[in-house]
Amino acid sequence: MTEERTLRRLVRRTTSSTLEPSRTRTTTSTTLRHISTQEIRMEDRIRIKEVKILSDDWSILKKTTLEIRRQDGSWQTVNRETYDRGNGATILLFNREQKTVLLTRQFRFPAFLNGCEDGMLIEACAGLLEKDDPESAIRRETEEETGYHLGPVTKLFAAYMSPGSVTEKVHFFAALYTSAQRKSEGGGVVDHGEEIELVELDLDQALQMIETGEIQDGKTIMLLQHAKLKGLVE
């Protein structure tokens, strides 16, 4: 109760002088929820007890023992494994005149292990940021994979793609492409084991391939559906 009274006094001081009376009650409730989930959560809700590095070869796999404060006030000890491979970026290349999108096709070993018969996935161009900002990274990856030198790019949104275990946040972009922008064969980086093919599809055809299971990559599905919703090729 003491914590709740303190929060309410804080909210009154920050809202009473700036809000109309009719809005104060609703805003106070909303602000309390914001404070509870943002400020209290980190200081009062999570206690890191131990962190072990299980692997640091390609990326970093950690096992963390932590205590989580439940809503009834009790503390629960849990173990979580997290895989940190850095953040990434992906882009949908589209051509309005042709009503097409430009995708890639490459072998993905984890998909092969989990039921993809040949391991080949059709995807939007993507890659890790490494030391670059998201836009610089996606420009680099686009040239490496497709051979296209991009003009203006548009930032769409960012998303955690597998937050139950992977720390990666992916930044989503879109950009126009034309045949005149292709400066090389692309294909990826040989030293990384990449052998990437280009796949140019009508947007409607690509969307149909989601239904048939020919496109199964999550980021690509998100970008294609976004393109349809926003009318990018119309």
Side-chain angles (χ1 to χ4, degrees):
M1 292 302 293
T2 300
E3 179 180 82
E4 183 177 348
R5 285 197 298 271
T6 301
L7 285 173
R8 291 189 180 279
R9 285 198 298 270
L10 173 62
V11 172
R12 281 195 212 100
R13 289 199 299 268
T14 58
T15 60
S16 60
S17 62
T18 58
L19 296 176
E20 299 174 6
S22 60
R23 296 175 54 198
T24 301
R25 184 174 180 179
T26 300
T27 305
T28 298
S29 177
T30 301
T31 307
L32 275 171
R33 288 197 298 271
H34 174 75
I35 292 174
S36 297
T37 58
Q38 297 298 322
E39 296 180 6
I40 295 176
R41 181 178 59 190
M42 291 298 97
E43 296 180 1
D44 268 350
R45 199 166 169 233
I46 303 295
R47 296 174 179 169
I48 304 297
K49 307 302 289 185
E50 183 182 28
V51 179
K52 292 182 179 179
I53 295 178
L54 304 180
S55 174
D56 63 353
D57 186 6
W58 180 258
S59 297
I60 301 176
L61 178 63
K62 296 179 181 179
K63 178 181 179 181
T64 301
T65 301
L66 63 150
E67 293 180 341
I68 300 176
R69 188 177 185 179
R70 301 182 65 85
Q71 292 184 6
D72 64 4
S74 64
W75 290 89
Q76 180 179 12
T77 300
V78 297
N79 294 311
R80 294 289 185 265
E81 290 186 5
T82 54
Y83 192 57
D84 184 356
R85 58 193 302 270
N87 295 324
T90 185
I91 192 166
L92 183 67
L93 304 179
F94 65 96
N95 185 301
R96 283 202 180 99
E97 293 184 1
Q98 300 175 176
K99 299 188 182 300
T100 56
V101 294
L102 188 64
L103 304 175
T104 66
R105 187 172 184 266
Q106 61 180 307
F107 178 72
R108 295 296 198 183
F109 183 61
F112 175 73
L113 288 179
N114 194 30
C116 181
E117 187 173 347
D118 61 1
M120 301 296 288
L121 292 185
I122 296 175
E123 306 179 31
C125 178
L128 295 177
L129 302 188
E130 297 177 354
K131 295 182 179 180
D132 287 331
D133 61 88
E135 182 175 329
S136 297
I138 201 56
R139 289 181 179 277
R140 180 195 71 229
E141 291 295 329
T142 299
E143 291 203 30
E144 289 178 357
E145 295 188 4
T146 71
Y148 281 75
H149 181 79
L150 297 179
V153 302
T154 300
K155 175 71 178 291
L156 303 177
F157 50 84
Y160 294 100
M161 300 301 292
S162 186
S165 57
V166 181
T167 63
E168 182 182 21
K169 177 187 282 188
V170 177
H171 301 266
F172 287 72
F173 294 85
L176 290 165
Y177 78 93
T178 67
S179 58
Q181 291 173 286
R182 193 171 190 188
K183 305 301 181 182
S184 69
E185 291 299 312
V189 180
V190 174
D191 290 345
H192 295 171
E194 296 176 337
E195 192 171 21
I196 298 172
E197 308 167 14
L198 294 186
V199 180
E200 189 174 48
L201 299 167
D202 293 340
L203 176 59
D204 288 340
Q205 180 185 1
L207 290 166
Q208 183 60 37
M209 291 170 72
I210 297 173
E211 300 295 327
T212 62
E214 295 170 89
I215 293 179
Q216 301 183 69
D217 175 65
K219 65 182 181 294
T220 306
I221 293 171
M222 292 168 69
L223 282 168
L224 292 172
Q225 292 178 339
H226 180 86
K228 185 66 174 179
L229 287 170
K230 298 299 183 179
L232 291 187
V233 301
E234 295 174 1

